[in-house]
Every structure is written in structure tokens, then in C-alpha cells.
Amino acid sequence: MKAVTIRAFGSPDGLAVVDLPAPVAARGQVLIDIEAIGVGGVDAVIRRGTLGGYGFEPGLVPGSEVAGLVSGAGDGVDPAWLGRRVWAFTGLGGGYAEQAVAAVTDVVPLPADLSGADAVTLGSSGVVAHFGLARASLAPGESVLVRGAAGSIGIAAVELAARAGAAVVAVTTSSPARGDRLRALGATHVLDRSGAGAGPDSYDIVLDVIGGPDLPAFLDRLAPNGRMVVVGAVGGLPPADFGTALLRDFRKSLSFATFSTDTVPPAERDAVRIAQFEAAVRGELHTVIHEVLPLAAAASAHRKMDDGEVFGRIVLTP
């Protein structure tokens, strides 16, 4: 089968299309003939080599989110899965290919009216946004700042915060045109990447997809009893001393948390994911697809992400 591997960590030029043996579903796994592949921020972070300490090595097939048809099942898997269209999480690799395997516990069926491209745009991002806002204990009438709102997680967070009754949904993004698109999805205030612009001085919640060296400046934007939840780190790690901002403002009772869906029980993740897929079919949630590209153009997709061109999600198709 055709697949994309990370030949060398660093620039997108390190991605290469290769021929690999088709994977085989082990016990508890299904084999999926892939229809669509989501290109996520974590794929770029892994490809850059930022997470080298996690044991990634050259030859890795990146990609964690796919949609397609179940064509094989390992021991212990209900044969009823065979022939079903599904969304699947493949782990931290394996998705940039014509076929992939996934644990059956990381697979959910797709509504007939939802495309594979829509599924991989919403499948992970919507769940991260949902539980990230839940971790922040968002209540109606509160103010939310979504940092890094032009990606698929940020877009989902904007829509979900607006639907939950947030009085203010501010966003950081790179251009007025992107700001206009985010306003159409529920944003009330548009700020630049540094957080400058017409909007409140402080927020009850900051949902941060970026991390990186500028994170402390957004801790400073929290109102008394404010909560920051970091759901991504596409901008890298924050300064080692970023926590001093919390102690400096001790009397404001601020909170900082990271969030990964790995800490959510699978049944809860699946229930939210299925409900969001159904909401997308009804038009209540929107999937924003920047571009659909062939698998062989994976390097081009990563260049677009590195250059900050992407609004929403790029999808690859085998």
C-alpha cells in the first residue's frame, strides 16, 4: 500500500511517499480502507521533532485520525463491524496511508450523510473543544477567549462556547478576514495573535491551543477566578517559569490546567463524538475544511500549516 513516512524530522521535506506492506488487524483491532485522513497540529509537532523524547523514530507513518470502511477484524472483534463506515483514532501514527488499523474501542460508526472529510475534521477537534470547555467549567454568561481559533479545535470551541451561552467569545487569529469567518461561527470579538484588539481586558476562561513562549501573556488576561486550559501546544513549550504569573496574582485565585482526551473514559468520548457527528448532519455544528489534497501531497499540506495558511483542517485522500 501507499503510505507517507517521516524520513527525517524537521521540515516538511522530510515526508516521503513509500510502499509498505498492508497492516494486519491484531486482536481487538479492525482494518480500515481509508477514505479520508485528518491532518492535525499534533502531526506537525511530531514531524518537526519537537516530541523526540516520546520515542518517535524515522520511518514513522504519521496521522491519528481517519475515516473509511472496515475491511478486516482481528480476534475478539464483533464481525458486525465489517463493511461499516467509521471514524477511527489510530494512535499517534499510522493514518497517512491507504489502510490503517485501530483498536475497536477507538472506532465509532459514521452517519450515512456525513462525509469522511467532515468526520476527520470534527472527530477529534470537537471532542477536545467540548471537554476542554468542560474542564474550564464554562457557565452561561461567562467570557471566553479562544487562543488559536483558526484551527479545527479553535473553530469547534468557538461554536460550542457560543451554543453554551457564553456572553463573550473572543478569538485570536492572524487576519481580519479570518476574524470575519470566526464571527460567522459565533465569535463576538476578534484579536490579533498577541491578544491586542477591541475586546474585554480580562476573561473568565482562556482556552489555549497554542502554548509556546507567549502563554504567560494570556495568563495575565484572566479575570479573578479565571481558568486557563491548554488543549494543544502547536507553538511549542511555554517558558519554564510561566507558573510565576499564577503566584504573582495569587489573590485573583487563578487556575491553570492542561487537558488531553486520553483522560476521558472511552464511552464518554464516543457519546460526545457521535452526538457531534449527528449535530453536523443537522447543520448545528460546522466542519471547516481548508482543502482536500491527495495523500502524495502530505508535504505540501504540512508546508501550508507551517506557513499559517490553514483555516480549519486539511484533509488527505488516498
Side-chain angles (χ1 to χ4, degrees), residues 38-39 52 71 92 101 104 106 120 132 140 146 163 166 180 193 200 206 229 236 257 261 269 280 282 287 289 303 312:
V39 179
S71 60
L92 291 178
V101 293
V104 71
D106 289 325
V120 297
V146 180
R163 288 180 60 189
D180 289 341
R193 285 178 171 172
V206 175
V229 178
T261 54
R269 292 197 305 258
R282 295 191 300 268
T287 56
I289 299 170
R303 289 188 196 96

Side-chain angles (χ1 to χ4, degrees), residues 78-98:
D78 186 343
W81 281 105
L82 291 170
R84 300 185 75 178
R85 288 182 69 245
V86 298
W87 173 94
F89 174 68
T90 61
L92 291 178
Y96 287 19
E98 293 178 322

Side-chain angles (χ1 to χ4, degrees), residues 171-216:
V171 296
T172 68
T173 191
S174 60
S175 71
R178 290 184 172 206
D180 289 341
R181 296 183 70 179
L182 289 163
R183 286 184 189 277
L185 294 165
T188 59
H189 298 76
V190 176
L191 314 176
D192 67 17
R193 285 178 171 172
S194 72
D201 293 329
S202 61
Y203 298 88
D204 298 306
I205 293 168
V206 175
L207 192 77
D208 190 350
V209 186
I210 305 299
D214 295 330
L215 182 148

